[in-house]
Amino acid sequence: MSYEFPPGFEWGVATAAYQIEGAIAAGGRKPSVWDTFSALPGRILQGATGAIACDHYHRYAEDVKWMAELGIKHYRFSLAWSRIIPDGRGSVNETGIDFYRRLLDCLQHYGITPHATLFHWDSPQALEELYGSWQSRDMAQDFADYATAVVSRLGDRITSWMTINEIVCFTHIGYDVNRIPVHAPGTSVASLKQVWQTSHHALLAHGLACQAIRAASPGPCSVALVDNFVPTVPLTESAADIAAARQAFHLHGTNGGILEPALTGAYSPALLAQLGENAPEIRDGDLAIVHQPLDWIGFNSYFGTYARAAETPAGYEVLPFPQGYPQLNMPWLHFVPDCLYWGIRHLSETLNRPDLPVRVTENGCAGQDSLTEAGEVLDSDRILFLRQYLRSAHRAIQEGYPLQGYFAWTLMDNFEWAYGCDRRFGLLYTDYETQRRIPKASFHWYRECIRQNRVV
Ligand code: PNW
């Protein structure tokens, strides 16, 4: 099999503002919840913060050059709300906008198309202090106003917009019941209902922002949501196991309460029944706001969970990973290449959206990369990982699913949230002492895939 992709398939890389920019006090930026959270003792591995990160704010031109070297024509990045509206609401900081203008002009110089995420977790600290961020419904309207501010200023340079990255990661992982959560803002709440309320507010923010983007864009644009729903993968591809995986999908993780309302206009009835009084308050008209027409969906693909038919009351079971199951260098990063294919197929078959174009907006892995004496990083583990997931992407296309593009996570090692600088996901190795970028073996391998438009 030659694993060739169709002409025009979009190859890219993805990054996020807080993970790479640094320069947290430059050009009028004010703190985000991640600045506050990472300054607290014990929250981040080895006490790292995003204060400097990859210093991309100052080194963006070199980083774009690396993208050109890699041969990508598409770049996904995020904008920092607290650079653009430092107090979260109110006046716009034009200096913050100017940084993104410089970046965008540089991308354009190399013929790289920008795909911008408005929110990748770094909400303004001021809104945390004002009303507790996502605990408040007000956050949705403030986010929509931020979207208007951005799109009316940058809509001449960006036409591909994503509202929000991975709602679960700053709601269900940022708020927890009676214990300290792993992500910012790191708020302990009294009930599961309150946690689901934060993700409901984020869904409203997504919906209002979709409307705001379309209203503010000076020309035609496309709008998407990015989600890391967890695909259920049939243990065998028998009809019975496939049916089991489809049934299991709705109740797995937060699938039925985040992706499903966004794409279908309703929370999964099975999930609502299971949550009972812990279901969020959903006001009249909310679901119509949440369920906006989308031009495509962004799928962040990392792992999946196996399911099979079984003689349980529900008729299926979800399987735990056995001891010793292969995984990469994160506690949750099991090696499940088929999840990429099954994620796309579930969008089509299980959520009934065969019409919706898909981009894999993130896929990648952390390894224990190190430099050899010759100055190389021989990350054969990352090549193994990416190659198998890309073959799964190829299968989806072969079978006719509407997969348009693939963005590797990530351009360079960066601030990996609670894991600080200890977990390296980059195609470029970041030497944090000198800020030198060093291409790993996977960088050269991915460049060859792009050049040949196939999995090599
Ligand atoms: C994504 N999980 O986060 C994010 O979009 C990136 O910012 C991040 O660097 C990357 O994946 C690697 O972690 C995730 O627990 C965080 O399953 C947690 C999970 C998945 C993705």
Side-chain angles (χ1 to χ4, degrees):
M1 176 94 76
S2 73
Y3 293 106
E4 205 170 311
F5 281 74
F9 186 75
E10 301 168 354
W11 299 92
V13 293
T15 65
Y18 191 71
Q19 295 182 270
I20 63 170
E21 286 181 5
I24 54 172
R29 182 189 181 279
K30 286 190 183 172
S32 75
V33 292
W34 271 95
D35 294 297
T36 314
F37 185 73
S38 60
L40 296 171
R43 296 290 193 277
I44 311 292
L45 206 58
Q46 296 157 0
T49 74
I52 300 172
C54 304
D55 195 32
H56 173 75
Y57 183 81
H58 297 113
R59 296 168 192 269
Y60 69 90
E62 181 196 339
D63 292 335
V64 174
K65 232 175 172 168
W66 279 114
M67 294 176 211
E69 174 76 26
L70 183 57
I72 58 164
K73 290 276 177 279
H74 296 269
Y75 176 47
R76 170 177 181 245
F77 66 106
S78 82
L79 303 158
W81 187 344
S82 59
R83 241 184 235 298
I84 294 172
I85 305 185
D87 293 313
R89 47 162 62 172
S91 60
V92 176
N93 173 33
E94 301 295 341
T95 313
I97 293 281
D98 287 342
F99 164 65
Y100 295 108
R101 285 211 179 97
R102 291 196 296 279
L103 169 67
L104 290 161
D105 290 347
C106 193
L107 288 165
Q108 198 199 18
H109 173 78
Y110 288 101
I112 298 169
T113 302
H115 301 263
T117 311
L118 288 168
F119 183 71
H120 199 123
W121 313 355
D122 46 353
S123 49
Q125 176 65 21
L127 298 182
E128 174 63 17
E129 281 155 28
L130 190 63
Y131 51 59
S133 313
W134 297 103
Q135 289 180 278
S136 169
R137 230 180 131 88
D138 290 346
M139 191 76 166
Q141 188 56 53
D142 281 334
F143 179 66
D145 292 344
Y146 156 64
T148 300
V150 170
V151 177
S152 59
R153 286 168 176 78
L154 298 177
D156 58 337
R157 291 169 167 84
I158 302 171
T159 58
S160 176
W161 298 101
M162 290 153 280
T163 54
I164 298 186
N165 181 72
E166 299 186 348
I167 288 176
V168 68
C169 283
F170 59 91
T171 58
H172 293 247
I173 309 183
Y175 300 81
D176 209 341
V177 182
N178 294 325
R179 56 171 187 184
I180 298 168
V182 175
H183 284 173
T187 308
S188 166
V189 295
S191 70
L192 188 58
K193 182 185 179 74
Q194 286 172 274
V195 177
W196 277 102
Q197 202 65 51
T198 63
S199 52
H200 185 67
H201 293 154
L203 283 169
L204 287 172
H206 158 72
L208 293 176
C210 288
Q211 297 172 341
I213 293 167
R214 294 195 201 281
S217 179
C221 66
S222 69
V223 183
L225 173 70
V226 174
D227 195 43
N228 59 333
F229 63 95
V230 179
T232 41
V233 176
L235 186 64
T236 73
E237 292 195 0
S238 67
D241 282 357
I242 290 172
R246 290 182 54 183
Q247 241 190 306
F249 183 83
H250 302 276
L251 276 175
H252 196 56
T254 53
N255 293 352
I258 294 180
L259 183 69
E260 192 158 337
L263 294 192
T264 71
Y267 280 68
S268 151
L271 175 68
L272 289 180
Q274 191 184 70
L275 287 176
E277 61 182 20
N278 282 319
E281 183 207 348
I282 303 168
R283 296 190 192 164
D284 282 352
D286 279 4
L287 290 168
I289 295 172
V290 167
H291 183 214
Q292 291 298 308
L294 296 180
D295 299 289
W296 55 283
I297 180 84
F299 171 27
N300 288 355
S301 179
Y302 288 98
F303 68 96
T305 307
Y306 294 100
R308 67 165 181 178
E311 284 172 11
T312 60
Y316 68 84
E317 64 185 347
V318 167
L319 304 174
F321 287 101
Q323 280 297 319
Y325 186 94
Q327 77 182 81
L328 284 297
N329 196 23
M330 290 294 267
W332 45 266
L333 194 38
H334 294 98
F335 182 61
V336 189
D338 292 326
C339 78
L340 197 154
Y341 165 80
W342 279 100
I344 294 168
R345 187 159 160 184
H346 280 305
L347 288 168
S348 208
E349 276 180 9
T350 308
L351 297 184
N352 267 313
R353 292 299 307 266
D355 56 305
L356 193 61
V358 185
R359 289 183 172 114
V360 170
T361 33
E362 289 181 23
N363 173 238
C365 66
Q368 299 178 36
D369 304 321
S370 61
L371 281 172
T372 65
E373 266 174 38
E376 292 183 290
V377 181
L378 300 174
D379 56 339
S380 47
D381 47 358
R382 182 167 291 101
I383 294 175
L384 165 74
F385 183 97
L386 295 174
R387 180 184 281 134
Q388 295 307 322
Y389 280 68
L390 271 172
R391 287 180 176 171
S392 187
H394 183 265
R395 177 180 173 197
I397 293 172
Q398 283 290 298
E399 294 184 17
Y401 295 102
L403 177 62
Q404 296 194 338
Y406 171 94
F407 294 75
W409 182 268
T410 179
L411 178 65
M412 58 202 159
D413 300 335
N414 58 40
F415 176 76
E416 178 48 40
W417 309 112
Y419 293 86
C421 297
D422 187 62
R423 303 299 158 98
R424 297 176 173 273
F425 276 81
L427 297 169
L428 293 168
Y429 181 92
T430 302
D431 177 341
Y432 290 103
E433 297 284 307
T434 61
Q435 289 295 353
R436 205 155 72 87
R437 324 304 195 206
I438 299 155
K440 302 178 189 178
S442 57
F443 179 99
H444 300 297
W445 169 82
Y446 188 48
R447 181 173 57 185
E448 212 38 42
C449 291
I450 297 167
R451 200 180 67 78
Q452 298 187 31
N453 198 35
R454 66 186 190 90
V455 190
V456 299

